[in-house]
Amino acid sequence: MPSTEVVIAKRFNNLLRPLQVHIHRSTVLAGELAQIHHVDVEACELAAGTHDLFRSEPDFAQISTAEKYGIPIGDIEMKTPMLLHGANAAAWLENEAGLTDNRVLEAVRWHTFGWPEIDDIGKILYLADKLEPGKVTADPSLAVIRNMADIHPDKALLALLQKRVEAQLSKALEVHPLTLALIENLKSN
Ligand SMILES: [Fe+2]
Ligand SMILES: [Fe+2]
């Protein structure tokens, strides 16, 4: 059986170039942030390197993959199947690539919404995914949060989550309960 790295690399190599670039930039930033904040660098890089392996799957494939792995599909995911890509990637990594580190699997699973019990690896992935250089270039208002991430990662995380809530509400989209629960947790800390 091919190694976890080979199975992951094979899937990565089939992604379109812009997504590969985003994953690569996220991985570099995850490594940097992990080092600054004394979090497991290897685990953070692995989470960032695999978080979007299902990002470009079409809606029907998101749904069928979720069904295949028994992932619950809520109303929010049914409306926007792309939101399943983290859970689908985590299930695939566990079942097809033999990835066993639960911290990495959880970070990948919930990277779109965040989750109330988020750990340090989940936080680093969330920050790296949303703040890699391509994202800041596309939205220069993120520069302040990017700088914050080096010093106050929890504050940066809260700012990103609040930005996400605003964006969802402005599009009249429902905010995932996990995101709201995480915001409450961060506020009370
Ligand atoms: Fe993603
Ligand atoms: Fe991403």
PDB file of all heavy atoms in Angstrom, residues 118-138:
ATOM      1  N   ILE A 118     -11.798  24.227  19.463  1.00  0.00           N
ATOM      2  CA  ILE A 118     -10.650  24.321  18.556  1.00  0.00           C
ATOM      3  C   ILE A 118      -9.342  24.283  19.357  1.00  0.00           C
ATOM      4  O   ILE A 118      -9.235  24.916  20.413  1.00  0.00           O
ATOM      5  CB  ILE A 118     -10.749  25.606  17.688  1.00  0.00           C
ATOM      6  CG1 ILE A 118      -9.767  25.576  16.515  1.00  0.00           C
ATOM      7  CG2 ILE A 118     -10.574  26.871  18.536  1.00  0.00           C
ATOM      8  CD1 ILE A 118     -10.012  26.680  15.479  1.00  0.00           C
ATOM      9  N   ASP A 119      -8.354  23.512  18.868  1.00  0.00           N
ATOM     10  CA  ASP A 119      -7.060  23.464  19.545  1.00  0.00           C
ATOM     11  C   ASP A 119      -6.060  24.329  18.781  1.00  0.00           C
ATOM     12  O   ASP A 119      -6.420  25.009  17.817  1.00  0.00           O
ATOM     13  CB  ASP A 119      -6.581  22.013  19.690  1.00  0.00           C
ATOM     14  CG  ASP A 119      -6.320  21.349  18.337  1.00  0.00           C
ATOM     15  OD1 ASP A 119      -6.498  22.026  17.287  1.00  0.00           O
ATOM     16  OD2 ASP A 119      -5.947  20.169  18.328  1.00  0.00           O
ATOM     17  N   ASP A 120      -4.810  24.295  19.245  1.00  0.00           N
ATOM     18  CA  ASP A 120      -3.804  25.187  18.660  1.00  0.00           C
ATOM     19  C   ASP A 120      -3.560  24.898  17.179  1.00  0.00           C
ATOM     20  O   ASP A 120      -3.344  25.827  16.388  1.00  0.00           O
ATOM     21  CB  ASP A 120      -2.485  25.073  19.430  1.00  0.00           C
ATOM     22  CG  ASP A 120      -2.580  25.721  20.798  1.00  0.00           C
ATOM     23  OD1 ASP A 120      -3.542  26.495  21.020  1.00  0.00           O
ATOM     24  OD2 ASP A 120      -1.709  25.465  21.640  1.00  0.00           O
ATOM     25  N   ILE A 121      -3.593  23.624  16.810  1.00  0.00           N
ATOM     26  CA  ILE A 121      -3.368  23.277  15.399  1.00  0.00           C
ATOM     27  C   ILE A 121      -4.535  23.787  14.544  1.00  0.00           C
ATOM     28  O   ILE A 121      -4.336  24.351  13.466  1.00  0.00           O
ATOM     29  CB  ILE A 121      -3.171  21.748  15.249  1.00  0.00           C
ATOM     30  CG1 ILE A 121      -1.883  21.337  15.979  1.00  0.00           C
ATOM     31  CG2 ILE A 121      -3.118  21.331  13.783  1.00  0.00           C
ATOM     32  CD1 ILE A 121      -1.718  19.855  16.188  1.00  0.00           C
ATOM     33  N   GLY A 122      -5.741  23.643  15.058  1.00  0.00           N
ATOM     34  CA  GLY A 122      -6.911  24.168  14.355  1.00  0.00           C
ATOM     35  C   GLY A 122      -6.836  25.679  14.196  1.00  0.00           C
ATOM     36  O   GLY A 122      -7.198  26.217  13.139  1.00  0.00           O
ATOM     37  N   LYS A 123      -6.354  26.342  15.231  1.00  0.00           N
ATOM     38  CA  LYS A 123      -6.237  27.807  15.164  1.00  0.00           C
ATOM     39  C   LYS A 123      -5.208  28.229  14.118  1.00  0.00           C
ATOM     40  O   LYS A 123      -5.449  29.128  13.320  1.00  0.00           O
ATOM     41  CB  LYS A 123      -5.817  28.372  16.529  1.00  0.00           C
ATOM     42  CG  LYS A 123      -6.922  28.349  17.563  1.00  0.00           C
ATOM     43  CD  LYS A 123      -6.415  28.862  18.906  1.00  0.00           C
ATOM     44  CE  LYS A 123      -7.510  28.749  19.965  1.00  0.00           C
ATOM     45  NZ  LYS A 123      -7.039  29.192  21.295  1.00  0.00           N
ATOM     46  N   ILE A 124      -4.057  27.552  14.136  1.00  0.00           N
ATOM     47  CA  ILE A 124      -2.996  27.900  13.170  1.00  0.00           C
ATOM     48  C   ILE A 124      -3.501  27.671  11.743  1.00  0.00           C
ATOM     49  O   ILE A 124      -3.291  28.500  10.852  1.00  0.00           O
ATOM     50  CB  ILE A 124      -1.711  27.066  13.431  1.00  0.00           C
ATOM     51  CG1 ILE A 124      -1.106  27.400  14.806  1.00  0.00           C
ATOM     52  CG2 ILE A 124      -0.695  27.275  12.306  1.00  0.00           C
ATOM     53  CD1 ILE A 124      -0.480  28.754  14.962  1.00  0.00           C
ATOM     54  N   LEU A 125      -4.191  26.557  11.517  1.00  0.00           N
ATOM     55  CA  LEU A 125      -4.714  26.298  10.170  1.00  0.00           C
ATOM     56  C   LEU A 125      -5.722  27.378   9.780  1.00  0.00           C
ATOM     57  O   LEU A 125      -5.677  27.899   8.663  1.00  0.00           O
ATOM     58  CB  LEU A 125      -5.363  24.907  10.076  1.00  0.00           C
ATOM     59  CG  LEU A 125      -6.109  24.637   8.757  1.00  0.00           C
ATOM     60  CD1 LEU A 125      -5.196  24.815   7.547  1.00  0.00           C
ATOM     61  CD2 LEU A 125      -6.740  23.254   8.748  1.00  0.00           C
ATOM     62  N   TYR A 126      -6.627  27.711  10.690  1.00  0.00           N
ATOM     63  CA  TYR A 126      -7.641  28.719  10.363  1.00  0.00           C
ATOM     64  C   TYR A 126      -6.962  30.030   9.958  1.00  0.00           C
ATOM     65  O   TYR A 126      -7.305  30.651   8.948  1.00  0.00           O
ATOM     66  CB  TYR A 126      -8.597  28.942  11.545  1.00  0.00           C
ATOM     67  CG  TYR A 126      -9.872  29.640  11.126  1.00  0.00           C
ATOM     68  CD1 TYR A 126     -11.022  28.911  10.826  1.00  0.00           C
ATOM     69  CD2 TYR A 126      -9.916  31.032  10.979  1.00  0.00           C
ATOM     70  CE1 TYR A 126     -12.188  29.550  10.404  1.00  0.00           C
ATOM     71  CE2 TYR A 126     -11.070  31.672  10.553  1.00  0.00           C
ATOM     72  CZ  TYR A 126     -12.193  30.933  10.278  1.00  0.00           C
ATOM     73  OH  TYR A 126     -13.333  31.560   9.856  1.00  0.00           O
ATOM     74  N   LEU A 127      -5.985  30.436  10.750  1.00  0.00           N
ATOM     75  CA  LEU A 127      -5.282  31.702  10.476  1.00  0.00           C
ATOM     76  C   LEU A 127      -4.518  31.630   9.149  1.00  0.00           C
ATOM     77  O   LEU A 127      -4.605  32.542   8.317  1.00  0.00           O
ATOM     78  CB  LEU A 127      -4.306  32.024  11.615  1.00  0.00           C
ATOM     79  CG  LEU A 127      -4.931  32.336  12.977  1.00  0.00           C
ATOM     80  CD1 LEU A 127      -3.856  32.381  14.062  1.00  0.00           C
ATOM     81  CD2 LEU A 127      -5.698  33.660  12.930  1.00  0.00           C
ATOM     82  N   ALA A 128      -3.789  30.539   8.952  1.00  0.00           N
ATOM     83  CA  ALA A 128      -2.952  30.422   7.752  1.00  0.00           C
ATOM     84  C   ALA A 128      -3.806  30.375   6.480  1.00  0.00           C
ATOM     85  O   ALA A 128      -3.458  30.984   5.470  1.00  0.00           O
ATOM     86  CB  ALA A 128      -2.079  29.170   7.852  1.00  0.00           C
ATOM     87  N   ASP A 129      -4.932  29.674   6.555  1.00  0.00           N
ATOM     88  CA  ASP A 129      -5.828  29.546   5.401  1.00  0.00           C
ATOM     89  C   ASP A 129      -6.384  30.913   4.992  1.00  0.00           C
ATOM     90  O   ASP A 129      -6.445  31.246   3.806  1.00  0.00           O
ATOM     91  CB  ASP A 129      -6.962  28.583   5.781  1.00  0.00           C
ATOM     92  CG  ASP A 129      -8.000  28.401   4.694  1.00  0.00           C
ATOM     93  OD1 ASP A 129      -7.668  28.561   3.513  1.00  0.00           O
ATOM     94  OD2 ASP A 129      -9.151  28.056   5.041  1.00  0.00           O
ATOM     95  N   LYS A 130      -6.762  31.706   5.987  1.00  0.00           N
ATOM     96  CA  LYS A 130      -7.435  32.976   5.681  1.00  0.00           C
ATOM     97  C   LYS A 130      -6.470  34.145   5.492  1.00  0.00           C
ATOM     98  O   LYS A 130      -6.873  35.195   5.002  1.00  0.00           O
ATOM     99  CB  LYS A 130      -8.407  33.342   6.807  1.00  0.00           C
ATOM    100  CG  LYS A 130      -9.404  32.261   7.194  1.00  0.00           C
ATOM    101  CD  LYS A 130     -10.402  31.977   6.084  1.00  0.00           C
ATOM    102  CE  LYS A 130     -11.461  30.969   6.473  1.00  0.00           C
ATOM    103  NZ  LYS A 130     -10.960  29.598   6.689  1.00  0.00           N
ATOM    104  N   LEU A 131      -5.208  33.954   5.916  1.00  0.00           N
ATOM    105  CA  LEU A 131      -4.283  35.097   5.924  1.00  0.00           C
ATOM    106  C   LEU A 131      -3.049  34.893   5.051  1.00  0.00           C
ATOM    107  O   LEU A 131      -2.123  35.705   5.093  1.00  0.00           O
ATOM    108  CB  LEU A 131      -3.838  35.391   7.366  1.00  0.00           C
ATOM    109  CG  LEU A 131      -4.946  35.823   8.322  1.00  0.00           C
ATOM    110  CD1 LEU A 131      -4.410  35.864   9.759  1.00  0.00           C
ATOM    111  CD2 LEU A 131      -5.507  37.196   7.941  1.00  0.00           C
ATOM    112  N   GLU A 132      -3.024  33.816   4.256  1.00  0.00           N
ATOM    113  CA  GLU A 132      -1.847  33.627   3.379  1.00  0.00           C
ATOM    114  C   GLU A 132      -1.766  34.822   2.418  1.00  0.00           C
ATOM    115  O   GLU A 132      -2.782  35.491   2.165  1.00  0.00           O
ATOM    116  CB  GLU A 132      -1.888  32.250   2.698  1.00  0.00           C
ATOM    117  CG  GLU A 132      -3.151  31.902   1.925  1.00  0.00           C
ATOM    118  CD  GLU A 132      -3.061  32.298   0.464  1.00  0.00           C
ATOM    119  OE1 GLU A 132      -2.164  33.067   0.102  1.00  0.00           O
ATOM    120  OE2 GLU A 132      -3.943  31.856  -0.301  1.00  0.00           O
ATOM    121  N   PRO A 133      -0.561  35.105   1.911  1.00  0.00           N
ATOM    122  CA  PRO A 133      -0.351  36.346   1.151  1.00  0.00           C
ATOM    123  C   PRO A 133      -1.360  36.606   0.035  1.00  0.00           C
ATOM    124  O   PRO A 133      -1.747  37.754  -0.195  1.00  0.00           O
ATOM    125  CB  PRO A 133       1.051  36.171   0.576  1.00  0.00           C
ATOM    126  CG  PRO A 133       1.712  35.138   1.410  1.00  0.00           C
ATOM    127  CD  PRO A 133       0.660  34.297   2.037  1.00  0.00           C
ATOM    128  N   GLY A 134      -1.808  35.565  -0.642  1.00  0.00           N
ATOM    129  CA  GLY A 134      -2.775  35.749  -1.732  1.00  0.00           C
ATOM    130  C   GLY A 134      -4.083  36.329  -1.228  1.00  0.00           C
ATOM    131  O   GLY A 134      -4.714  37.153  -1.902  1.00  0.00           O
ATOM    132  N   LYS A 135      -4.483  35.936  -0.031  1.00  0.00           N
ATOM    133  CA  LYS A 135      -5.737  36.422   0.544  1.00  0.00           C
ATOM    134  C   LYS A 135      -5.601  37.892   0.943  1.00  0.00           C
ATOM    135  O   LYS A 135      -6.548  38.674   0.780  1.00  0.00           O
ATOM    136  CB  LYS A 135      -6.136  35.574   1.768  1.00  0.00           C
ATOM    137  CG  LYS A 135      -6.450  34.118   1.471  1.00  0.00           C
ATOM    138  CD  LYS A 135      -7.836  33.955   0.855  1.00  0.00           C
ATOM    139  CE  LYS A 135      -8.149  32.520   0.469  1.00  0.00           C
ATOM    140  NZ  LYS A 135      -8.589  31.664   1.554  1.00  0.00           N
ATOM    141  N   VAL A 136      -4.442  38.233   1.476  1.00  0.00           N
ATOM    142  CA  VAL A 136      -4.232  39.625   1.913  1.00  0.00           C
ATOM    143  C   VAL A 136      -4.137  40.549   0.690  1.00  0.00           C
ATOM    144  O   VAL A 136      -4.643  41.671   0.720  1.00  0.00           O
ATOM    145  CB  VAL A 136      -2.972  39.743   2.805  1.00  0.00           C
ATOM    146  CG1 VAL A 136      -2.755  41.179   3.253  1.00  0.00           C
ATOM    147  CG2 VAL A 136      -3.099  38.819   4.021  1.00  0.00           C
ATOM    148  N   THR A 137      -3.533  40.066  -0.375  1.00  0.00           N
ATOM    149  CA  THR A 137      -3.468  40.862  -1.608  1.00  0.00           C
ATOM    150  C   THR A 137      -4.885  41.093  -2.146  1.00  0.00           C
ATOM    151  O   THR A 137      -5.225  42.201  -2.579  1.00  0.00           O
ATOM    152  CB  THR A 137      -2.628  40.124  -2.680  1.00  0.00           C
ATOM    153  OG1 THR A 137      -1.339  39.872  -2.126  1.00  0.00           O
ATOM    154  CG2 THR A 137      -2.476  40.961  -3.935  1.00  0.00           C
ATOM    155  N   ALA A 138      -5.702  40.044  -2.084  1.00  0.00           N
ATOM    156  CA  ALA A 138      -7.070  40.159  -2.607  1.00  0.00           C
ATOM    157  C   ALA A 138      -7.925  41.070  -1.735  1.00  0.00           C
ATOM    158  O   ALA A 138      -8.849  41.713  -2.229  1.00  0.00           O
ATOM    159  CB  ALA A 138      -7.704  38.774  -2.712  1.00  0.00           C
TER     160      ALA A 138
END
